[in-house]
Amino acid sequence: MPIIIPDNLPAFSALEKERIFAIPNDRAFHQDIRPLKIAIVNLMPDKIVTETQLLRLLSNTPLHVDIDLVQMNHVSKNTPQEHMLAFYKSFDEVKDNRYDGVIITGAPVELLEFEEVDYWNELCEVFEWTKTNVFSTIHICWGAQAGLHYHYGVPKYTLDKKMFGNFKHHILHPENTLLKGFGDVFHCPHSRHTEVRGEDIKKVSDLTIVAESYEAGVHVVCDKTERQFFLLGHWEYDRETLAKEYFRDIHKGLDIEIPYNYFPNGNPDNTPVFNWSCSANLMYANWLNYCVYQRTPYNLNNLEKLEI
């Protein structure tokens, strides 16, 4: 089944070339199935890249998925305003809507205190809104740190050096629905200057650390209802995403190490091994199927408030 997006969204042609099943809104209107309503609150600077990465993963199931792209009240310097005006909605435009699921992305603002981020107050409104108008929410990287801070008071800490590379993770709770079908270990990229720590999360009785890395630390956290998920890594990243970040920083003259366990033989001239693709697709398929589709009320007006 397809993902439903505007046919003039840049991601549409990219997904079509990859033979990923996407259909335009007008064709979906004539189909007699209620699609899952998913909103992506995109905080990343290059929004076109991030939305394409996430849409690719959300399209890989037999479920109809109807997407709303949401922006904060913040001028994006890396995405054309024409794109933002054509495809994105403000939070004010969607805050009366109800959604099966919401994804809140990361943002390159980790070294700021949360309250120093210029859209922090609006993002807090979004966090609060997910408790009443959304069945299940995924928070990614800085979005996960911000969500854990807002909902549970979990602090973040600045790292001595950037957590940057492709890390092996192990699963602490294999019964967790989000990681259904996973093997004992999996890979996922991390790219961040800050961290949350397991000892702080373990103090919160409502939270469970589902997966972690010996090198990168906590990765997957969920609440006891399995409706709020916090992912400290970037499963959505493409093969070349870390490479682009690395070469960008090198060209800026920044002191950046080669991404860990990413380029074969540690040589930036080699093509990175894309060994997190399977787990990324399985995780998002699990979220849509087991955590959202099989649990969300057919009538979204019957959503129960999430108690946090």
Side-chain angles (χ1 to χ4, degrees), residues 62-94:
L63 301 168
H64 277 236
V65 182
D66 190 1
I67 299 293
D68 278 340
L69 299 172
V70 181
Q71 62 173 321
M72 296 289 90
N73 185 19
H74 171 83
V75 177
S76 177
K77 299 177 182 177
N78 299 85
T79 304
Q81 281 305 297
E82 295 82 2
H83 181 85
M84 302 304 296
L85 291 171
F87 301 113
Y88 277 75
K89 298 177 180 179
S90 69
F91 177 58
D92 281 342
E93 290 178 282
V94 304

Side-chain angles (χ1 to χ4, degrees), residues 177-299:
T177 308
L178 193 69
L179 303 188
K180 184 180 178 68
F182 274 57
D184 292 336
V185 297
F186 63 89
H187 285 81
C188 182
H190 289 251
S191 178
R192 49 187 168 80
H193 294 275
T194 54
E195 68 175 354
V196 294
R197 295 176 180 170
E199 57 262 34
D200 293 320
I201 294 170
K202 290 173 184 176
K203 294 175 185 176
V204 182
S205 61
D206 194 45
L207 293 176
T208 300
I209 300 173
V210 180
E212 63 182 8
S213 163
Y214 293 123
E215 299 84 7
V218 176
H219 174 32
V220 180
V221 179
C222 74
D223 73 340
K224 293 295 175 60
T225 69
E226 293 192 13
R227 286 178 60 184
Q228 295 263 345
F229 297 96
F230 306 89
L231 313 178
L232 279 302
H234 282 282
W235 255 315
E236 79 280 5
Y237 272 9
D238 296 329
R239 179 195 303 271
E240 299 290 342
T241 305
L242 291 180
K244 291 175 181 177
E245 290 186 18
Y246 172 70
F247 290 120
R248 176 201 66 197
D249 289 351
I250 288 291
H251 292 153
K252 289 181 178 180
L254 300 178
D255 183 16
I256 182 71
E257 294 186 359
I258 293 174
Y260 172 83
N261 193 35
Y262 178 62
F263 295 112
N265 300 319
N267 185 349
D269 293 330
N270 292 332
T271 300
V273 176
F274 193 15
N275 61 359
W276 62 91
S277 176
C278 290
S279 61
N281 279 285
L282 180 55
M283 188 281 293
Y284 276 96
N286 284 345
W287 180 62
L288 286 176
N289 182 20
Y290 297 111
C291 304
V292 179
Y293 174 69
Q294 295 193 30
R295 295 182 60 195
T296 312
Y298 183 86
N299 185 342

Side-chain angles (χ1 to χ4, degrees), residues 13 80 138 171 173 218:
S13 59
I138 284 181
I171 298 173
H173 292 276
V218 176

Side-chain angles (χ1 to χ4, degrees), residues 86-118:
F87 301 113
Y88 277 75
K89 298 177 180 179
S90 69
F91 177 58
D92 281 342
E93 290 178 282
V94 304
K95 65 183 181 182
D96 292 329
N97 296 349
R98 292 177 182 268
Y99 290 91
D100 297 281
V102 164
I103 298 172
I104 300 172
T105 75
V109 293
E110 309 162 79
L111 294 178
L112 295 174
E113 296 297 329
F114 292 119
E115 294 76 14
E116 293 175 352
V117 176
D118 62 4

